[in-house]
Amino acid sequence: MIMSRSPMANPTPSDEPRRLNDPPKTIVEHLDDLRTCLLHSIVAIALGAVAALPFQELWLRLLVHPVRASVEHLTFLSPTEPFLIQLKLSLVAGFIVVLPYVAHQIWRFVSPALYDHEKHWVNRLWGASVGLFVAGLLFAYFVMIPLSLRFFMQFRSDFLVDQITLKNYIGFASFWLIASGLVFQTPLVLIFLMKTGIVPRDTLARNRRVMIVIIAIIAAVFSPPDIFTMFLMGVPLYLLFEASLWFAAGITQQDKEEHAGPPTPASSSSSA
């Protein structure tokens, strides 16, 4: 019985030889490369945090900006709480600044073990991954955090008075930012599954109802247990799913054109 691969699937590693630019390394040499990668990354993060530390008040103002329309003020329960939070924000800001360098160090360590077609796809999707993550952060910052806070603050009354602490709000906003950034990576995961043939595109397109249920489950996991925030998370997820199908169709067409190549003289003369 002959099993056919999906037309979107890449060749297996046995079909495509690996291009080795360096001779094989021993386990000790790999561990030494890993140590160098981690050391350079840790030093870069530390330097980035030190560089971001003078702007710690700016990072705090940026993060609390979405709450100003719904909450008059934030409180803190410990004298050291504002300082420690600004210190943590500086560390995160420094990590974001040096993230390209850290990613480059990780890529230098991982890339020798990849096949040529795998390197091609990593390079092809790297920019899209960063762009989608930033889009997720912006969506959470300008849409999800303000709308969810406005919704929850409607339950205030003369008896129920909000006393939101700075620590609780930072945790709330950080959760939304990270969750939204990760959720916006969904198109890349789906394109990978379709490209490798694990889940054909036609199967996903025919089972949209199943995908809606899966999206609802993901939205429930990544959001607080209420319908409003699930809706805020679920709608972008479904739009990203439809965009994944569209991009996968475009990539398939592009790959077919690349494999077909220009018409040969014989075929051109015969068609004439």
Side-chain angles (χ1 to χ4, degrees):
M1 180 178 180
I2 300 176
M3 299 181 64
S4 59
R5 291 173 57 87
S6 170
M8 298 188 65
N10 280 327
T12 60
S14 59
D15 298 328
E16 181 178 339
R18 179 180 296 173
R19 180 181 298 172
L20 295 176
N21 299 322
D22 300 320
K25 295 183 179 181
T26 63
I27 184 64
V28 176
E29 291 174 325
H30 282 298
L31 292 175
D32 184 65
D33 291 341
L34 178 60
R35 180 184 65 84
T36 302
C37 173
L38 293 176
L39 181 61
H40 287 182
S41 300
I42 292 173
V43 171
I45 294 173
L47 293 176
V50 171
L53 192 59
F55 308 98
Q56 54 182 310
E57 187 176 353
L58 174 62
W59 312 132
L60 182 60
R61 288 182 179 274
L62 286 175
L63 196 56
V64 301
H65 178 73
V67 77
R68 292 183 179 274
S70 302
V71 179
E72 294 182 1
H73 60 270
L74 299 173
T75 61
F76 58 92
L77 303 179
S78 170
T80 60
E81 185 175 322
F83 171 75
L84 293 178
I85 287 178
Q86 292 184 57
L87 193 64
K88 293 177 181 178
L89 291 179
S90 299
L91 180 62
V92 173
F95 174 75
I96 294 175
V97 170
V98 301
L99 184 59
Y101 178 79
V102 174
H104 175 68
Q105 291 295 319
I106 297 174
W107 174 248
R108 288 185 58 185
F109 176 73
V110 173
S111 60
L114 300 179
Y115 292 92
D116 287 339
H117 70 275
E118 294 170 337
K119 293 180 182 179
H120 169 73
W121 274 103
V122 170
N123 291 326
R124 195 172 182 178
L125 297 179
W126 168 249
S129 176
V130 174
L132 287 171
F133 189 81
V134 172
L137 294 180
L138 295 176
F139 179 77
Y141 186 83
F142 289 105
V143 178
M144 298 187 71
I145 295 176
L147 288 182
S148 60
L149 284 172
R150 191 176 305 171
F151 173 78
F152 291 129
M153 290 301 103
Q154 291 178 352
F155 296 95
R156 289 180 297 189
S157 65
D158 295 336
F159 180 74
L160 299 175
V161 181
D162 61 290
Q163 292 290 335
I164 302 176
T165 64
L166 178 63
K167 181 179 180 180
N168 288 339
Y169 169 73
I170 295 298
F172 174 83
S174 300
F175 170 82
W176 272 119
L177 291 170
I178 295 174
S180 182
L182 294 178
V183 163
F184 268 60
Q185 303 296 307
T186 302
L188 300 184
V189 176
L190 293 177
I191 289 175
F192 171 79
L193 294 176
M194 290 183 282
K195 184 65 181 177
T196 55
I198 298 176
V199 181
R201 179 189 178 278
D202 294 338
T203 301
L204 291 177
R206 287 195 307 266
N207 294 275
R208 280 182 167 85
R209 294 182 180 179
V210 177
M211 289 304 303
I212 291 176
V213 175
I214 295 175
I215 288 172
I217 295 174
I218 295 175
V221 171
F222 279 93
S223 62
D226 63 272
I227 300 298
F228 181 77
T229 51
M230 286 179 59
F231 179 80
L232 284 180
M233 181 71 76
V235 171
L237 266 176
Y238 182 76
L239 296 178
L240 290 172
F241 166 71
E242 293 292 342
S244 303
L245 297 179
W246 184 77
F247 279 117
I251 292 174
T252 304
Q253 183 63 30
Q254 182 180 358
D255 289 343
K256 289 180 179 179
E257 293 175 357
E258 291 177 356
H259 290 313
T264 60
S267 60
S268 301
S269 61
S270 60
S271 60

